[in-house]
Amino acid sequence: MTALAIVLAVVDACCYAAGARLQHQALHQPTRGATAGLRPAVVRQPRWLAGLALMASGAALHVTALRLAPVTVVQPLGVSGVVVGVLWGLRARRARLGAATGLSLLAVVAGTGAFATLAARITVATSVTATAQLWAGLLVLAMVAGCAGLAGALSGRRRCLAAAIGAGSAYGCMSVLIRAAGEEFTTSGVSLLLCGTLAALALTVLAGFWLVQKAQASGPPEVTVGCLTLVDPFVAVAIGIGLLGEAPGLTPVAVVAGLGCWALALVGVLQISRSTPAPHPRAPAPPREQAVPDPLTRRRHDVGRTLDAFDDLCLRTAGRPAADRTPTPHLRP
């Protein structure tokens, strides 16, 4: 079952990276009189809707993977989305994979891969208690509120990083709530506790989705996906180990090794963030202004043409040729 969960988690990450790229393109499509961001006109675009469908499909795969393996195994595999996002971005910009970007991807893959392997060895699936849900929700709520405030005060790439970190925190808690809802439904069916968990899950999804859209409107999708890949598993693993007790045999050596792997992935994500150019959408061309003719000038022109036609008619009646009114070029002496 763990092997199937790993495959589903990888496909989920690829779906999310593709959906983020499509939605980013829709958010930055030039629109007259509007800035980049989530607008009513954007959510009706086929590209944005296709990205939303891919993200929803990835979420369904993610839920299935969480039912088959612990949170600490499923979450770190989102690194696959970083690889897909970076390679897609290079192709979109018609750029080559440089040595720095390749080493950054290698650091991200190696760091998160080693982290997932270590987590799989030392963690076991446990039940999610109501007390753990409450503490996890409060901690993540504080982090999301702080990141949202920073995103509102900052601009550009820093806003993208702050919003993506807040979204990653929300999604890390979302994985715990999904597991809790599944366990509560299996144990007690539809109950008051399950309704509360589903309500918290809905708020978490909305907060994460809103912050992701803000991040995509402020920076390239590679940075958004990279931050989500880094923060999401870190928050999920922290909740799993600290609140759910998924690592009963945790040793200081394992802690140092896990933090070292996460730091290696962090360096790779930061390097990708620095090397990826920020989006500069082309502004739509302003409407071409048409000259409005002056009524007085037009009236003088019509009167002059009428008088010239009357003179030609008089000359032809008298048997004389019409006057030649072709303008002569001005010759300099």
Side-chain angles (χ1 to χ4, degrees):
M1 291 298 180
T2 303
L4 179 59
I6 291 174
V7 173
L8 294 178
V10 171
V11 177
D12 156 44
C14 295
C15 290
Y16 190 86
R21 169 65 61 174
L22 292 176
Q23 287 195 339
H24 178 268
Q25 293 174 355
L27 288 170
H28 288 270
Q29 186 173 356
T31 303
R32 183 175 299 172
T35 57
L38 187 63
R39 308 180 300 275
V42 173
V43 299
R44 294 192 295 267
Q45 293 185 12
R47 186 172 298 178
W48 191 89
L49 293 175
L52 183 62
L54 283 174
M55 289 183 175
S57 301
L61 295 175
H62 188 74
V63 172
T64 306
L66 286 174
R67 295 293 296 168
L68 301 176
V71 174
T72 47
V73 175
V74 173
Q75 291 301 119
L77 296 174
V79 65
S80 307
V82 180
V83 178
V84 173
V86 171
L87 295 180
W88 194 343
L90 291 174
R91 181 178 177 81
R93 297 191 301 271
R94 296 181 180 179
R96 294 182 178 180
L97 180 63
T101 304
L103 291 176
S104 301
L105 285 177
L106 182 61
V108 174
V109 172
T112 53
F115 189 89
T117 302
L118 180 63
R121 289 180 176 273
I122 65 174
T123 58
V124 292
T126 59
S127 60
V128 184
T129 63
T131 304
Q133 288 185 53
L134 179 60
W135 279 107
L138 292 176
L139 292 175
V140 172
L141 177 62
M143 182 171 288
V144 169
C147 291
L150 283 177
L154 300 175
S155 61
R157 193 181 298 266
R158 291 179 295 178
R159 173 182 291 179
C160 176
L161 291 172
I165 291 172
S169 303
Y171 287 156
C173 183
M174 183 181 68
S175 301
V176 178
L177 293 175
I178 290 174
R179 279 193 54 197
E183 293 175 359
E184 291 165 2
F185 181 78
T186 303
T187 304
S188 306
V190 179
S191 60
L192 184 61
L193 182 60
L194 177 61
C195 293
T197 302
L198 292 178
L201 180 61
L203 292 176
T204 305
V205 171
L206 290 177
F209 179 79
W210 175 66
L211 289 172
V212 165
Q213 298 301 316
K214 288 183 69 68
Q216 290 181 349
S218 305
E222 293 91 329
V223 177
T224 302
V225 176
C227 287
L228 290 175
T229 303
L230 190 68
V231 178
D232 184 350
F234 182 79
V235 172
V237 169
I239 294 175
I241 293 177
L243 296 177
L244 304 183
E246 290 187 344
L250 186 64
T251 62
V253 176
V255 173
V256 173
L259 292 177
C261 295
W262 188 81
L264 178 63
L266 173 62
V267 172
V269 170
L270 291 178
Q271 179 59 35
I272 291 173
S273 175
R274 286 193 293 264
S275 61
T276 304
H280 295 287
R282 185 176 59 182
R288 187 176 295 177
E289 297 181 359
Q290 298 180 355
V292 180
D294 187 3
L296 296 178
T297 304
R298 182 176 180 180
R299 187 176 301 173
R300 294 193 200 99
H301 180 68
D302 294 341
V303 171
R305 290 182 60 182
T306 303
L307 293 177
D308 291 341
F310 181 74
D311 291 342
D312 292 341
L313 179 62
C314 293
L315 290 174
R316 291 193 183 95
T317 304
R320 297 180 181 178
D324 185 11
R325 296 185 177 86
T326 304
T328 58
H330 177 71
L331 301 178
R332 294 185 179 181

